[in-house]
């Protein structure tokens, strides 16, 4: 082995990737230590052997033509741009590789340098991501069907209830009609709010992610709608600050956040006179919303856990599944916001939501060898 070859061998042995130097007959002229490690061969066992032994049998027939084409037009190129490549180890197992080629002249002989990198971990991650994306697409299709089914199934009884209320109001005497006027109006408002909510569920299930986050939502109107959707016990009152700001998001999902938080505040309040307070502070880029109460509060050690699915802020209630706050957390994050729990000035829990004031976009060939998968 002459001085130039020895120097080259020492140089490529320092490289972290596998390096093979091959002639136009696919014979390996030089190989570094890492190439032996990659393909499972003892040191120096690759030199003098054919490159064919490193290629899975199903790709060998096409290889000679590719070698001829390279030496006819030698250039620096990557083999893996159009498709994934596969190498064959001594134990006949296959693994993903990336290969870069470069022509070189050594002792007046035209050769090719192949730099080989093990891509197994990278390709496994890509395959996992592809599989997960396919699963998510399937889930989204099912969710769209589910949303349509739910909205369809709920509309029918709602129409029936509305018809019954209308019939009752017609049949009532003038005195009774006046007596129950306020209750009938409240019931009608509730029915309309429920109809809007069902329509929103159907629209949301069909909307793409990017479509779902660019609508201004008036929190004043939202709170009025929540008033019709919640049954407020006589001992609990809700204070709502005047002139609440707008936020950007899907209205149905924003409603879901407020409805869950206020329903929880009503459900868990243990005071003779309950109070829920809703306020907001307008910032340049975001709105800070506070929903607080004078209930039992949430212990500091539970304030992060309660946003996990099936986690509850108390074990004393058996009528809660620990789902509502997980949904709230997910929706707020989907819209680029954040939610935390603090002590309330009223003595209970204070939920603080930071929500953006502007729209936010919500948050896949030809064969080459050594060898395509």
């Amino acid at each position: 082995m002459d001085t130039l070859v020895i120097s080259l061998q020492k140089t490529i042995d320092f490289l972290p990737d596998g390096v093979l130097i091959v002639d136009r007959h696919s014979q390996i002229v030089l190989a570094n230590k890492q190439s032996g490690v990659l393909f499972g061969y003892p040191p120096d066992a690759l030199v003098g052997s054919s490159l064919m032994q490193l290629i899975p049998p199903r790709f060998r027939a096409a290889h000679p033509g590719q070698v001829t084409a390279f030496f006819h037009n030698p250039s620096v190129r990557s083999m893996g741009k159009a498709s994934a490549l596969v190498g064959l180890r001594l134990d006949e197992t296959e693994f993903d590789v990336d290969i870069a080629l470069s022509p070189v002249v050594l002792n007046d002989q035209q050769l090719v340098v192949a730099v080989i990198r093990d891509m197994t971990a990278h390709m496994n991650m890509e395959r996992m991501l592809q599989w997960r994306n396919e699963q998510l697409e399937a889930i989204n299709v099912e969710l769209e069907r589910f949303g349509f089914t739910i909205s369809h199934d709920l509309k029918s009884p709602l129409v029936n209830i509305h018809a019954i209320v209308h019939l009752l109001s017609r049949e009532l005497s003038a005195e009774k009609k006046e007596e129950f006027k306020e209750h009938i109006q409240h019931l009608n408002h509730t029915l309309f709010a429920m109809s809007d909510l069902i329509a929103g569920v159907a629209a949301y299930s069909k909307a793409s992610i990017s479509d779902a986050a660019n609508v201004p939502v008036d929190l004043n109107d939202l709170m009025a709608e929540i008033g019709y959707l919640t049954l407020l016990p006589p001992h609990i009152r809700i204070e709502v600050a005047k002139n609440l700001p707008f936020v950007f998001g899907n209205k149905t999902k924003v409603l879901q956040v407020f409805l869950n938080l206020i329903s929880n505040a009503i459900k868990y309040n243990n005071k003779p006179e309950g109070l829920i307070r809703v306020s907001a502070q307008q910032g340049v880029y975001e709105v800070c919303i506070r929903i607080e109460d004078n209930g039992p509060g949430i212990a500091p050690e539970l304030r992060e856990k309660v946003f996990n699915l099936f986690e509850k802020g108390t074990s004393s209630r058996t009528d809660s599944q620990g789902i509502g706050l997980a949904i709230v957390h997910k929706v707020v994050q989907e819209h680029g916001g954040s939610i935390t729990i603090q002590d309330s000035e009223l003595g209970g829990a204070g939920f603080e939501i930071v929500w953006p004031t502007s729209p936010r976009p919500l948050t896949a060939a030809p064969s080459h060898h050594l060898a395509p998968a």
Side-chain angles (χ1 to χ4, degrees):
M1 190 180 290
D2 62 30
T3 305
L4 180 58
V5 173
I6 292 172
S7 176
L8 182 57
Q9 181 69 60
K10 289 181 178 179
T11 300
I12 63 176
D13 278 339
F14 279 111
L15 297 177
D17 295 320
V19 178
L20 299 174
I21 300 180
V22 184
D23 65 17
R24 63 177 60 248
H25 304 294
S26 294
Q27 186 177 35
I28 299 171
V29 176
L30 285 177
N32 72 343
K33 294 176 181 178
Q34 184 59 24
S35 62
V37 172
L38 286 179
F39 290 95
Y41 284 83
D44 303 324
L46 290 172
V47 176
S49 61
S50 172
L51 187 65
M52 285 286 195
Q53 70 192 47
L54 307 181
I55 299 172
R58 64 188 181 280
F59 301 116
R60 288 174 184 170
H63 180 70
Q66 292 180 336
V67 172
T68 300
F70 179 84
F71 279 99
H72 180 73
N73 182 27
S75 62
V76 176
R77 66 184 73 170
S78 173
M79 292 180 63
K81 286 185 177 179
S83 61
L85 306 177
V86 181
L88 181 68
R89 296 190 182 96
L90 178 61
D91 63 6
E92 297 188 349
T93 60
E94 297 181 5
F95 68 109
D96 297 296
V97 295
D98 184 43
I99 301 173
L101 303 177
S102 179
V104 66
V105 177
L106 183 62
N107 293 333
D108 298 324
Q109 183 182 13
Q110 185 74 47
L111 304 170
V112 57
V113 178
V115 179
I116 305 160
R117 178 168 294 178
D118 187 345
M119 299 294 288
T120 303
H122 176 79
M123 294 304 296
N124 284 343
M125 181 65 72
E126 282 197 359
R127 292 182 189 112
M128 178 61 72
L129 288 174
Q130 182 179 356
W131 178 81
R132 287 185 176 177
N133 285 336
E134 290 170 357
Q135 294 294 106
L136 285 173
E137 286 179 12
I139 290 170
N140 285 336
V141 170
E142 289 303 313
L143 284 175
E144 183 175 338
R145 290 175 183 167
F146 177 76
F148 177 80
T149 302
I150 289 296
S151 63
H152 178 270
D153 290 349
L154 288 179
K155 275 181 181 177
S156 180
L158 208 60
V159 170
N160 291 338
I161 295 170
H162 188 79
I164 292 169
V165 171
H166 180 68
L167 183 62
L168 284 174
S169 63
R170 280 179 50 190
E171 296 298 321
L172 287 173
S173 64
E175 290 182 4
K176 288 290 184 182
K177 194 174 291 187
E178 186 62 31
E179 182 182 345
F180 291 105
K181 179 180 178 181
E182 187 176 341
H183 297 298
I184 291 172
Q185 284 179 341
H186 186 87
L187 191 53
N188 280 324
H189 283 308
T190 301
L191 288 170
F192 286 128
M194 280 298 298
S195 295
D196 288 343
L197 183 58
I198 291 167
V201 169
Y204 182 79
S205 67
K206 290 184 286 187
S208 67
I209 293 175
S210 58
D211 293 335
N214 293 316
V215 180
V217 180
D218 187 341
L219 296 183
N220 301 287
D221 294 342
L222 195 82
M223 286 305 303
E225 193 167 340
I226 284 173
Y228 297 121
L229 291 172
T230 54
L231 181 61
L232 195 65
H235 71 286
I236 294 179
R237 62 189 177 91
I238 301 178
E239 282 184 3
V240 181
K242 294 182 179 179
N243 300 320
L244 293 175
F246 283 77
V247 296
F248 274 85
N250 176 272
K251 182 186 173 184
T252 303
K253 304 304 276 186
V254 181
L255 178 63
Q256 200 172 17
V257 168
F258 279 74
L259 196 56
N260 268 293
L261 292 177
I262 289 170
S263 296
N264 274 359
I266 294 170
K267 181 193 296 185
Y268 291 107
N269 199 292
N270 57 355
K271 300 297 190 297
E273 293 186 7
L275 175 61
I276 301 167
R277 181 180 293 162
V278 180
S279 60
Q281 185 175 358
Q282 177 77 60
V284 179
Y285 303 107
E286 56 198 20
V287 172
C288 182
I289 304 160
R290 283 189 64 83
I291 299 176
E292 47 191 331
D293 60 64
N294 67 337
I298 298 175
E301 63 271 15
L302 296 176
R303 290 179 183 177
E304 289 188 15
K305 291 182 180 180
V306 293
F307 292 120
N308 297 329
L309 197 60
F310 306 124
E311 291 281 357
K312 297 182 284 186
T314 175
S315 59
S316 61
R317 294 290 297 251
T318 58
D319 57 347
S320 173
Q321 289 76 42
I323 296 175
L325 290 181
I327 293 173
V328 167
H329 186 254
K330 182 176 183 294
V331 171
V332 172
Q333 284 197 325
E334 278 178 354
H335 288 79
S338 63
I339 180 168
T340 55
I341 304 173
Q342 303 168 359
D343 290 327
S344 166
E345 293 179 357
L346 303 178
F351 287 84
E352 185 169 289
I353 304 169
V354 176
W355 199 290
T357 56
S358 59
R360 174 183 181 272
L362 295 181
T363 9
S367 297
H368 296 277
H369 308 296
L370 282 189

